[in-house]
Amino acid sequence: MTARQPLFVGGSWVEPDGGHYEVIDPASEETVGWAPEASRDQVLAACAAAHEAFGPWSRTAPEERAAVLGRAAGIIAARLKEYASLAGAETGATLGTARAMQVGVASARFRRYARVEPAEWPIPPQINEAGPMGKAGVMGALAVRQPVGVVTCVTSYNNPWANPAGKVAPALAMGNTVVVKPAPQDPLSVYRMAQALEEAGVPPGVVNVVSGRSTGVGEAAVASPDVDMVSFTGSTAVGQRIGEVCGRDMKRQLMELGGKGAAVVFDDADLRSAVAGIGTTFSFYSGQICTAPTRVLAQRGIHDRLVEQLAAYADRLRVGDPREPDTVVGPVISAAHRDRVESYIELGRKEGAVVVAGGERPALPRGFYVAPTLLADCTRDMRVVREEIFGPVVAVVPFDDEEEGIALANDTDYGLIDYVWSGDVARAFRVARRLRAGGVGVNTVGRNMEAPFGGFKKSGVGRDVGSYALHAYSEVQAIVWPG
């Protein structure tokens, strides 16, 4: 069990004004540790420390900043087993997921942004005619990417390593300073990340971490006059509230919000590949992932076979203690969230959907488990089809032809990532280009970690990942001079 964790403010480990609260292991329902509850004044102090540190850090040579990130990547990689054990206990992630997709990805992201990239681009000279602003002549110009300033990073509970690393690493690489407000369910891992950065040589105030269950902690971290940008991952409803606050002061925003990914499966698809891809909704983070293909649109020619194979796939998955090596599906984050997911399954029944796999709580003595659940005979207007459930639940809707499949896929408030399975690659790409989503996987649920990531519609604002993240955490400045 982790001891009582202090806050990290201005380069110091500080006792929280609000005391501590329990962090619960969702698999065992036992106490993992005690997280700090920051006061509003402590949050504002963290923002002020980041503001004071911004000037010196932004003027540090990019190579020096990169060296800090590289050392942090090495420290995290060296402590993979220790950090993954904590991450698994906080989130209920399986051992493999905690090691590879949480801590492993975090280390890789710090190493990625330890690579220095150009921040200046020449613009072709322009010949200006004589006018009221001066004589005719050649005007030179340069585009420069400048850091935004202080960035508040509000992170999600489903991955307390990769998600904050994807914000902190590019923000620091660009010369910004950060205040990280982790999700209240699993903040202890984020403090370990701060510890690694401190050991790597990050100067005082450049990285700050403040946590708490009170909504006032996040509100103060967003509304502080010292904050120039907010990077948020979480629900659309919270993102809308943050957007309203940022709008008052014209603060920059990067938002990765909800998703209800459509998986459009055509008659000529490789069903084995489609089932394996869609099945990640059941297994990966127990469906607690915004990119999951939770809305399956099946062309009628393969609809029944696809439902049958998905049901068989779901029934084969072992649900249980995520520390056991043969466990595939661990718990969801909390009892409240388990109840929410189960309420959607019951709602689906009432709406007329047929539960062909799962639907009942697993018979385990403790833990917040939801069985992989498949809902068939769904229609486009059902709430289980339209609303984000954020659990191991998949809903299947039939369609007749390409046009109907595209229309169904786009009939949503969300637009993060969609998927297309078809043996006709030309058709798959044609359909992909018509989907209103920030990303589309063609015959895969895999990701290219240099490709831009973000959503259309209510799934978010802005893009990050790869070089796009450096763009997201910077402002473009034009410098112009007479040639």
Side-chain angles (χ1 to χ4, degrees):
M1 186 174 76
T2 302
R4 294 180 184 270
Q5 174 68 51
L7 304 166
F8 189 57
V9 178
S12 298
W13 295 95
V14 180
E15 286 302 306
D17 291 341
H20 292 81
Y21 66 91
E22 282 184 290
V23 176
I24 302 298
D25 182 334
S28 67
E29 302 185 45
E30 296 176 353
T31 301
V32 176
W34 298 85
E37 182 78 42
S39 66
R40 182 176 183 276
D41 286 345
Q42 288 179 313
V43 176
L44 295 179
C47 297
H51 178 75
E52 184 177 351
F54 169 67
W57 178 251
S58 66
R59 293 190 293 271
T60 300
E63 291 77 11
E64 292 182 40
R65 299 197 296 263
V68 171
L69 298 178
R71 289 193 293 271
I75 292 168
I76 293 169
R79 297 174 184 166
L80 174 66
K81 187 175 180 180
E82 172 194 345
Y83 288 165
S85 177
L86 175 60
E90 285 193 287
T91 65
T94 61
L95 284 172
T97 295
R99 289 176 181 173
M101 302 307 298
Q102 295 191 357
V103 182
V105 169
S107 176
R109 285 181 170 174
F110 277 104
R111 197 168 303 284
R112 162 63 179 84
Y113 293 107
R115 190 171 78 209
V116 177
E117 296 189 18
E120 299 183 356
W121 294 269
I123 296 172
Q126 180 183 15
I127 299 176
N128 288 350
E129 301 293 336
M133 299 303 294
K135 298 179 180 180
V138 177
M139 300 298 290
L142 186 68
V144 181
R145 287 209 169 270
Q146 299 277 19
V148 178
V150 176
V151 182
T152 287
C153 303
V154 184
T155 67
S156 60
Y157 73 72
N158 60 346
N159 196 324
W161 278 94
N163 184 266
K167 299 177 186 297
V168 172
L172 296 185
M174 279 305 309
N176 302 284
T177 55
V178 299
V179 176
V180 185
K181 193 279 175 187
Q185 298 93 333
D186 49 12
L188 300 176
S189 289
V190 181
Y191 285 105
R192 296 296 180 277
M193 184 181 297
Q195 183 182 45
L197 283 161
E198 181 187 33
E199 292 179 26
V202 68
V206 171
V207 175
N208 307 268
V209 184
V210 289
S211 60
R213 292 177 296 180
S214 165
T215 57
V217 175
E219 289 174 357
V222 168
S224 165
D226 288 318
V227 170
D228 302 287
M229 175 180 172
V230 176
S231 175
F232 171 69
T233 300
S235 72
T236 295
V238 175
Q240 288 170 324
R241 174 59 182 153
I242 290 174
E244 292 171 0
V245 175
C246 289
R248 291 201 296 263
D249 295 322
M250 299 302 293
K251 294 181 181 181
R252 302 301 180 256
Q253 304 167 49
L254 178 63
M255 302 272 192
E256 188 224 315
L257 308 177
K260 192 70 177 177
V264 186
V265 185
F266 286 97
D267 285 347
D268 59 354
D270 178 345
L271 289 192
R272 187 173 183 178
S273 171
V275 168
I278 295 164
T280 60
T281 302
F282 301 134
S283 57
F284 195 46
Y285 297 141
S286 301
Q288 298 168 111
I289 182 167
C290 50
T291 59
T294 57
R295 222 173 15 121
V296 176
L297 310 177
Q299 198 165 17
R300 291 193 187 275
I302 49 88
H303 174 273
D304 292 350
R305 281 186 293 142
L306 181 60
V307 168
E308 180 182 357
Q309 291 181 31
L310 279 172
Y313 185 96
D315 288 338
R316 286 195 302 268
L317 300 177
R318 185 180 187 278
V319 181
D321 187 342
R323 296 168 186 82
E324 296 295 331
D326 58 344
T327 293
V328 179
V329 183
V332 296
I333 194 67
S334 66
H337 190 56
R338 176 192 60 194
D339 293 346
R340 178 182 182 274
V341 175
E342 288 180 341
S343 72
Y344 268 102
I345 296 170
E346 183 58 31
L347 174 63
R349 285 191 176 102
K350 291 178 180 177
E351 290 181 315
V354 176
V355 179
V356 293
E360 301 296 332
R361 184 177 297 184
L364 295 166
R366 62 184 62 85
F368 312 129
Y369 294 94
V370 177
T373 299
L374 182 66
L375 304 176
D377 292 350
C378 296
T379 59
R380 68 195 302 168
D381 57 335
M382 290 180 177
R383 286 179 58 192
V384 290
V385 173
R386 306 198 66 82
E387 298 177 13
E388 185 177 38
I389 298 173
F390 218 62
V393 181
V394 171
V396 185
V397 180
F399 71 92
D400 290 311
D401 55 28
E402 183 176 312
E403 288 300 317
E404 185 184 12
I406 293 170
L408 286 171
N410 290 334
D411 184 20
T412 175
D413 291 335
Y414 299 107
L416 189 56
I417 295 187
D418 287 342
Y419 306 88
V420 180
W421 270 275
S422 175
D424 183 341
V425 175
R427 173 168 68 176
F429 275 84
R430 181 174 68 242
V431 171
R433 289 187 174 93
R434 292 184 59 190
L435 297 181
R436 301 293 295 165
V440 181
V442 173
N443 293 325
T444 184
V445 292
R447 293 264 305 281
N448 180 321
M449 296 313 294
E450 289 297 316
F453 178 73
F456 287 16
K457 298 184 277 188
K458 291 184 179 180
S459 283
V461 177
R463 297 292 183 273
D464 64 357
V465 177
S467 297
Y468 296 91
L470 299 174
H471 301 169
Y473 292 99
S474 62
E475 296 274 26
V476 180
Q477 178 188 60
I479 301 176
V480 182
W481 63 91

